[in-house]
Amino acid sequence: MIDITLPDGSVKQFEKNATPMDVAKSISEGFARNVISANFNGTTVETVTPLTTDGSLVLYTWNNDEGKTAFWHSSAHVLAQAIEELYSGAKLTIGPAIENGFYYDVDFGDHVVSEKDFKAIETKMIEIARGKHEFKMRSATKAEALELYNGNEFKTELIENLEDGTITFCDHSTFTDLCRGGHIPNTGIIKAVKILSVAGAYWRGNENNPQLTRVYGISFPKQKELTAHLELLEEAKKRDHRKLGKELELFTFSRKVGQGLPLWLPKGAALRERLENFLKAAQKKAGYEMVVTPHIGQKELYVTSGHYAKYGEDSFQPIHTPKEDEEFLLKPMNCPHHCEIYNSAQWSYKDLPKRYAEFGTVYRYEQSGELHGLTRVRGFTQDDAHLFCTPDQLDQEFKNVIDLVLYVFGSLGFENFTAQVSLRDPDNLEKYIGSNENWEKAEKAILNAAIDKGLNYVVETGEAAFYGPKLDFMVKDALGRRWQLGTIQVDYTLPERFDLTYKGSDNELHRPIMIHRAPFGSMERFIAILLEHTAGNFPLWLMPTQAVILSISEKYEKYSEKVLNLLENDEIRALVDHRNETIGKKIREAEMQKHPFMIIIGEQEEKENKITVRKHGGEDLGMITIERFSEIIKEEVSKTLKSF
């Protein structure tokens, strides 16, 4: 007999070689019908994998992220089979599950796959799925694997890097694929599929390798779920920040300036300035000091920090000056500069903590194929800050930063989030710099702070920064998509590399601890996510224009200007639409520009010294005094803009 421990802590006994499905059936037949994947002792297994030892078992359904991963991984196999049957001579490479669906990279030879092929692929996939073919894992020798893929140089390359005894295949129907495992019980669970797009992709992500065709798809256990997902995709298209950014005149790009280098238009620059001022005000209350650092630094600075070794390949090439052997780099990170600011004076423990903040622009040479609007750019501004503190101050300082991040989220409408504690990978320690002792201290400090602040958090091993563990905030937007926003990191390593010190109460020199933090992260990426989350309907306190004044005719321009001046005196951002257009057209265009309030000015309004107010979306507030309108604006702002 073997003991199987379930997530609730209960222990059940089973005969040796019982399967996860046997365990599921022992809980209930109804539950077992929904189980599609499992994890045993931290390893993903099939629902039919024999369990031979005591261990912990987690059973997954479609409602779990792990269940969806198995579902979409299995669907990728079905996609591969469909492609193999439809396109003679196509060479399959790899096909993983991704956050929403799956893809398969294929060398189609002379055939060019386009949108016109999608329906045929979908039909073939559903035909295969209806066969209810079981997914079966089997081991193979290296020689057998190489023989199977004779003529497919991509699979051959993968196999050459594997060792005998570690190679497995997955079979279903008449199809076989090189695979490590993690499948649903059979193809029949797949009820609905959609091929979403095709794109070019270099083999193994290296632009020096052959270009393949990446076929993206998604699948569901019910047709209605696919329908709902496609509706969500249509809504996402409407909310695309690139589309909204153009419509709202926030930013643009220029080929002459260069890919991945956004140009902020006046309205976008004003939006950024309001976000910066919002955070600067909170930071001032929290005891931060603003600093400014240059856009470049000597190469040696980033060699010292470790950023050159880490980001050198992803950075712009060194800038060579007329002086021999003198090299500068465009700044990839702000932290080394802030370390040198700290190093510009000798500090006592009584002076700490020092909190340096900067909206600093940094540069990374992202591959052109990875650039995407504002979310992936080559030049971006971080709301960066670095805190230097004593060991006794670390816990409270870290918690204070958590409070600041939560304040930012609350004021901008991000209410659905979890915290992710990112630790280093114990099996790959060469990825990181610094001593084991300091890493253990830093990881413990973050976990304790997350617990004490009552955060809903998960632990992710292997996701730490190269110099220290971190606490990331994973936010769900209005469409249910997850984004990483806001990060806090504990760092014992850079203070050592830069020989940072302070004089303690014992009159000896000690090493400060460094906290990295950025509530927004990248200003560019944050604004892109905020645009899509709000569909351009920003919180009222942030809107570029809070009200637009629309006069029915030129006769009322003078009164319109009077209203504008009164609103501006109350610090309400407004503008007058002076164009000689119909009031209907002005209202339609104001709606498209997402102005929160439209103020209609005509004969009656001028006569009674009032205004008629219409909200974005069509709600009519009627004729009210200007004073009452100012009160409405202030009341709405106070609902979202919290005090810190």
Side-chain angles (χ1 to χ4, degrees), residues 242-281:
R242 296 167 298 178
K243 174 177 176 289
L244 289 174
K246 184 175 182 179
E247 291 173 356
L248 300 179
E249 301 173 354
L250 299 178
F251 60 88
T252 188
F253 289 90
S254 161
R255 288 186 179 180
K256 289 183 179 179
V257 172
Q259 285 185 298
L261 300 171
L263 300 170
W264 290 91
L265 304 177
K267 290 181 182 178
L271 175 73
R272 277 181 58 132
E273 184 179 26
R274 273 188 292 280
L275 279 171
E276 288 185 12
N277 290 340
F278 157 73
L279 186 56
K280 283 178 180 176

Side-chain angles (χ1 to χ4, degrees), residues 515-568:
I515 299 174
H516 305 242
R517 59 106 275 217
F520 293 146
S522 151
M523 294 293 290
E524 285 72 13
R525 184 171 174 274
F526 187 87
I527 289 172
I529 294 167
L530 186 61
L531 258 174
E532 298 192 3
H533 176 60
T534 63
N537 299 305
F538 298 116
L540 186 59
W541 66 266
L542 186 59
M543 287 297 290
T545 301
Q546 294 169 319
V548 59
I549 301 167
L550 312 175
S551 59
I552 290 176
S553 76
E554 294 178 3
K555 290 191 298 183
Y556 309 110
E557 281 192 8
K558 187 174 181 181
Y559 182 60
S560 296
E561 290 293 338
K562 176 185 175 183
V563 171
L564 176 65
N565 290 334
L566 290 171
L567 293 177
E568 288 180 340

Side-chain angles (χ1 to χ4, degrees), residues 418-421 447 450-451 454-459 471:
T418 57
Q420 177 179 301
V421 178
L447 284 166
I451 293 167
L455 296 179
N456 175 24
Y457 75 93
V458 296
V459 175
L471 180 67

Side-chain angles (χ1 to χ4, degrees), residues 392-448:
D392 291 342
Q393 295 167 337
L394 175 61
D395 181 67
Q396 190 57 52
E397 287 300 309
F398 198 93
K399 290 174 182 174
N400 290 347
V401 175
I402 291 175
D403 289 338
L404 181 62
V405 172
L406 298 183
Y407 164 68
V408 169
F409 287 177
S411 295
L412 288 161
F414 289 112
E415 298 171 354
N416 189 352
F417 62 87
T418 57
Q420 177 179 301
V421 178
S422 299
L423 309 179
R424 62 179 175 165
D425 182 355
D427 299 322
N428 196 6
L429 296 180
E430 65 273 10
K431 284 171 53 179
Y432 311 97
I433 59 177
S435 70
N436 286 333
E437 179 186 4
N438 284 342
W439 269 90
E440 288 167 5
K441 288 179 185 176
E443 291 177 341
K444 184 178 180 182
I446 290 181
L447 284 166
N448 287 343

Side-chain angles (χ1 to χ4, degrees), residues 278-298:
F278 157 73
L279 186 56
K280 283 178 180 176
Q283 288 177 162
K284 186 175 182 180
K285 289 182 180 179
Y288 287 79
E289 299 172 285
M290 294 301 297
V291 297
V292 178
T293 62
H295 289 249
I296 65 173
Q298 287 201 95

